[in-house]
């Protein structure tokens, strides 16, 4: 049910095949985020046609609404949201640690105030594991202690050590839920340790002594630290992560991040930016960002991105998309979201092709230079 094959490498970049209970994922791959059990604004068929192979669900949000028992009774997350492919769920750790001032952390659990109705709730390693089990995702993430990018070394170390202790508790609970039955959900650990290479190494070593994991995530990056710092941490981890396991860089997924991450050995990415930017009329193209509301687009009959094969770019003009945003027509947000998702999915597909050919590094350098120095509107 869980298998990963490394198909090719090119420098540190990797092309792989990840087999999960609900389908196969060719990596490197971008995972659209379905926060509330939907990729915001889009029909699952549109997400599928954009080429997405796996989507992400948010434990924190689905626990609050509708509650994991509702999802379970309605057939699990795949049937609930009408997505037949693989699903990865986060553990809610990132969300509860982001609730600055509304949460209390103890060794046992994080107590927080629900942003929905103000009720007092708690997430613990055991609870986060139980929720994800009830949701029925292919991949569940450990509950971890996330610290901000500018955290002191002391705080980063505390979060890293606690994450290891919590990993053990997640593992025990997950094994009990599995109860010797067939493996239908994987539990993945998360490397923490802030911006400190030695803490990251200790985190990984601690993870590897605690089990034989079918995949490993890197968390706590892109949380306020400068990008070169993230690149340095990834470069440090690339040679010491087990080569035969998929690597997931959590919450990172702007176009340039994708290529910089792939160049440093990352296989899986997720980010809300594709749909969030789409809703704000910000589209990615090969030559940089385009503001769909821009007055210069008014009379443009050209597609959003002439090089893109998405439904939006094959069908509609820039001038029409701009009009939809000006009149606040909901179709506009949906069309730009479709384009942005396809843009990242296609970037993963192209990177994979280049890795298989052995031309990844030259191609990605040229791609990034054009993207950053582009002639976009
Ligand atoms: Zn497009």
């Amino acid at each position: 049910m869980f298998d990963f094959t490394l198909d090719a490498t090119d420098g540190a970049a990797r092309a792989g095949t990840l087999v999960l209970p609900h389908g196969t994922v060719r990596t490197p791959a971008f995972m659209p985020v379905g926060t509330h059990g939907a990729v915001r604004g889009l029909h699952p068929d549109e997400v599928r046609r954009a080429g997405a192979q796996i989507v992400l669900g948010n434990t924190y949000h689905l626990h609050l609404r509708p509650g994991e028992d509702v999802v379970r009774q309605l057939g699990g997350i795949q049937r609930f949201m009408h997505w037949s492919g693989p699903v990865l769920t986060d553990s809610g750790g990132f969300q509860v640690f982001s609730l600055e001032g509304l949460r209390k952390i103890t060794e046992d659990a994080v107590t927080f105030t629900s942003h929905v109705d103000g009720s007092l709730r708690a997430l613990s390693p055991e609870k986060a594991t139980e929720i994800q089990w009830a949701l029925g995702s292919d991949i569940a993430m450990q509950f971890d202690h996330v610290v901000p990018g500018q955290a002191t070394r002391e705080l980063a170390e505390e979060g890293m050590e606690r994450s290891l202790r919590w990993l053990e508790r997640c593992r025990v609970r997950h094994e009990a839920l599995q109860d010797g039955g067939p493996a239908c959900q994987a539990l993945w650990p998360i490397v923490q340790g802030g911006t400190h290479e030695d803490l990251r190494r200790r985190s990984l070593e601690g993870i590897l002594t605690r089990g034989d994991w079918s995949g490993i995530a890197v968390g706590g990056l892109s949380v306020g630290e400068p990008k070169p710092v993230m690149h340095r941490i990834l470069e440090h981890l690339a040679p010491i992560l087990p080569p035969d396991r998929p690597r997931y860089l959590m919450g990172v997924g702007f176009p340039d991040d994708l290529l910089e991450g792939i160049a440093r050995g990352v296989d899986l990415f997720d980010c809300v930016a594709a749909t969030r930017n789409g809703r704000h009329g910000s589209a990615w193209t090969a030559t940089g960002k385009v503001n769909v509301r821009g007055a210069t687009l008014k009379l443009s009959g050209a597609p959003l991105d002439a090089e893109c094969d998405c439904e939006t770019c094959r069908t509609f003009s820039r001038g029409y998309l701009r009009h939809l945003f000006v009149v606040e027509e909901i179709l506009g947000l949906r069309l730009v979201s479709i384009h942005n998702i396809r843009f990242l999915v296609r970037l993963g597909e192209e990177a994979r092709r280049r890795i298989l050919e052995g031309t990844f590094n030259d191609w990605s350098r040229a791609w990034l230079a054009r993207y950053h120095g582009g002639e976009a509107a």
Side-chain angles (χ1 to χ4, degrees), residues 3-7 15-19 24-27 246 352:
D3 186 49
F4 182 72
T5 311
L6 204 51
D7 301 318
T17 301
L18 173 63
V19 178
T24 296
V25 181
R26 308 274 175 204
T27 64
R352 178 180 166 85

Side-chain angles (χ1 to χ4, degrees), residues 39-254:
V39 177
R40 190 161 286 181
L42 303 190
H43 191 290
D45 289 348
E46 293 172 319
V47 179
R48 209 170 281 118
R49 287 200 296 271
Q53 308 173 75
I54 174 171
V55 298
L56 187 140
N58 279 123
T59 286
Y60 168 83
H61 291 287
L62 292 169
H63 170 60
L64 293 181
R65 291 180 301 188
E68 60 276 16
D69 286 336
V70 173
V71 176
R72 185 179 51 77
Q73 286 179 45
L74 292 176
I77 182 93
Q78 275 92 4
R79 186 173 296 177
F80 183 61
M81 65 186 282
H82 187 64
W83 170 263
S84 56
V87 175
L88 180 148
T89 43
D90 66 5
S91 66
F94 182 78
Q95 277 80 18
V96 293
F97 280 98
S98 307
L99 296 168
E100 199 76 51
L102 297 170
R103 45 111 172 114
K104 184 167 162 280
I105 307 159
T106 67
E107 181 65 19
D108 184 53
V110 179
T111 313
F112 60 96
T113 308
S114 159
H115 78 279
V116 177
D117 58 8
S119 62
L120 201 61
R121 308 272 186 140
L123 266 185
S124 64
E126 290 80 9
K127 183 72 184 170
T129 306
E130 287 160 12
I131 295 169
Q132 294 179 84
W133 182 264
L135 294 173
S137 52
D138 297 69
I139 300 166
M141 298 307 303
Q142 79 154 109
F143 191 61
D144 59 339
H145 183 160
V146 186
V147 299
Q150 314 296 352
T152 62
R153 180 187 167 85
E154 197 182 359
L155 191 62
E157 184 166 20
E158 187 191 324
M160 184 275 283
E161 294 285 1
R162 176 169 288 135
S163 294
L164 284 176
R165 293 191 297 274
W166 282 0
L167 173 62
E168 184 62 21
R169 287 168 57 186
C170 291
R171 188 186 65 77
V172 168
R173 189 70 195 117
H174 197 254
E175 276 181 15
L177 291 162
Q178 190 96 38
D179 195 24
C184 54
Q185 183 185 66
L187 174 69
W188 284 7
I190 303 172
V191 176
Q192 288 290 353
T195 56
H196 308 279
E197 293 170 15
D198 60 319
L199 297 184
R200 290 279 175 178
R201 176 181 288 266
R202 269 171 52 199
S203 174
L204 178 60
E205 286 167 357
I207 284 167
L208 296 177
T209 60
R210 280 170 173 80
D212 181 21
W213 314 98
S214 62
I216 296 177
V218 178
L221 289 176
S222 197
V223 288
E225 81 287 357
K227 286 203 180 186
V229 173
M230 173 167 82
H231 299 162
R232 173 170 57 77
I233 294 296
L234 291 176
E235 279 161 19
H236 180 73
L237 288 172
I240 55 175
L241 280 159
D244 56 350
R245 297 290 187 271
R247 303 157 178 187
Y248 161 34
L249 178 57
M250 304 184 77
V252 177
F254 279 77

